[in-house]
Amino acid sequence: MHYNMPLRRCKHALGVAVDGVEQLRDTVGSFVAVRWLFERWWPCDCMDILLGVGGSELSYQALEETLDRVQATGDDLTVAIFDNEEVSEETDTVRQRVEATLQEVDFEASIRTLDGDAPGSELISLAENEGFDRIVLGGGERSTLGKIQLGSIVEFVLLNAQTPVTLIR
Amino acid sequence: MTRDCPDEPPAEFPRPPRTVTDREGRAVTIDPADATDRADVLEMYLSFDPSDRAQGIPPANESAIENWLDTILGEDSLNVVARHDGSVVGHATLVPDRKGEHELAIFVLQSFQGAGIGTNLVETLLGLGQEQGLERVWLTVERWNDPAIALYRKVGFETSNAESFEIEMAVQL
C-alpha cells in the first residue's frame, strides 16, 4: 500500500512482532529493552480504516473480509454502525453482532455509532474530520436475477467522499 | 424506494411462438424456453462479448454462467429465446423478485444487435408474462445505455425510479 501519509507506529503489527520476540526473550535476555526499541523505532505505513456497517448481509461480509485484511496488514480499524433504511436491523442489533464478531477473532477495533438519518454524509464527515485513510463498505448487492445494484448510502459515499473508498462484494 | 405505476391501460403483447424477419432479412423464431434449452443458451453466453455485460450479468466465466442459468432457467422464471438457423442469438428472462414482482433482462448476441430482435424478444416475453398472469415487470438499466432505454420506452416501460445509479423502469401487464 503506497499512500501519501506519514509513517507511524502500528500497534497491531508491533503486537505480532513482539509475540515472536517474547518467545525468545530468555535467550535475548533483555526483553524490556527490545520491546522499548520496537515501540519506538518500528516504522509502519499502516492505514486507519473506517468500515461502515448498516446491517445488510453484505455489510457483515465486508466486516469479515476487512477483519481478515487488517489482521494481515496491521491496519487500525474503526467500525461505524449506522441505520440502513433498506434493511430492517436496529443499530443495537448491528452493534451486538459487530462486537461478537470482533470477539470471535479477538481483534480490538473502535466502534462508533452514527445517529443521524444521513449515514452516508456522516460517514464521510467522520472520515475527513478524523483523518481516516480509507472508507470500506459492502456495496453491490445482486438482485435475484443477478444484476448488481448499489444502495443509496454507498452511492452517496462514492459520489461525495474525498477519502478513497473500497467496496466489498 | 417509491415505485410509481404507469397510468395508461396495459397493452396487449404478442405471444410466443413467433417467427419474425429482422432488419437484415434473417428469419428468427421466438419460443418459450426452459431448462431443456440450457445447452443452447449456455453456448450463446459463452460467445458473448464481455464489453456488452450489464451490471454484472452475464457473469464472466463458465462456472458462474452455469450458476446464473440455474436461477434464470429455474421453474419460477419465464424465458424466451430467439433462434436463427437453430442457434440461440437472443434471450430474455423474467425472474420473480422478493416482492412478488418480476425483473426483466435481455441479451442479444453482438452480430444480431440493432436489427429489431431485442424489441421482438421483450414484447414476446411480456406476452408470455400476460398469458401467465404476471402483473408488474421492472428492470434496471445503466443511465448511459441509450439504445436499451429507447427500446424499453418503445415497448411501454416508464421510468419508475431515477434516483439511483441505474434507472429503474416498469410496465404494468
Side-chain angles (χ1 to χ4, degrees), chain A residues 54-87:
Chain A
S56 68
E57 271 318 302
L58 202 55
S59 73
Y60 292 125
Q61 188 190 325
L63 172 64
E64 305 262 350
E65 293 195 18
T66 305
L67 279 172
D68 285 347
R69 179 77 193 151
V70 294
Q71 284 174 296
T73 59
D75 291 340
D76 280 322
L77 176 65
T78 297
V79 183
I81 288 159
F82 57 82
D83 184 17
N84 181 355
E85 279 185 352
E86 288 159 26
V87 298

Side-chain angles (χ1 to χ4, degrees), chain B residues 1-150:
Chain B
M1 198 186 300
T2 55
R3 285 179 173 166
D4 302 322
C5 292
D7 294 330
E8 287 175 35
E12 192 68 26
F13 292 103
R15 296 179 182 191
R18 297 173 69 204
T19 301
V20 298
T21 304
D22 78 1
R23 284 200 286 270
E24 307 274 326
R26 294 170 293 207
V28 174
T29 58
I30 301 178
D31 296 299
D34 56 27
T36 59
D37 300 283
R38 183 185 177 108
D40 295 343
V41 176
L42 177 64
E43 196 178 336
M44 178 187 111
Y45 285 116
L46 288 177
S47 56
F48 207 76
D49 181 345
S51 68
D52 265 7
R53 299 170 70 208
Q55 293 154 272
I57 56 171
N61 66 64
E62 185 164 352
S63 69
I65 294 175
E66 295 267 11
N67 283 337
W68 179 60
L69 291 180
D70 285 344
T71 304
I72 63 173
L73 293 177
E75 283 181 7
D76 297 333
S77 305
L78 294 178
N79 292 274
V80 292
V81 291
R83 290 176 189 268
H84 174 68
D85 285 346
S87 302
V88 173
V89 300
H91 169 222
T93 185
L94 278 171
V95 178
D97 65 13
R98 298 167 194 104
K99 298 175 187 164
E101 298 176 350
H102 287 74
E103 183 181 0
L104 181 142
I106 177 196
F107 295 95
V108 175
L109 214 52
Q110 284 66 32
S111 51
F112 286 81
Q113 289 176 5
I117 294 174
T119 306
N120 278 301
L121 263 176
V122 172
E123 286 175 341
T124 312
L125 181 61
L126 293 176
L128 184 62
Q130 276 177 331
E131 194 175 278
Q132 300 292 320
L134 268 47
E135 287 179 355
R136 186 174 188 274
V137 169
W138 62 276
L139 59 87
T140 58
V141 54
E142 286 152 328
R143 224 160 248 294
W144 46 264
N145 194 346
D146 293 333
I149 294 168

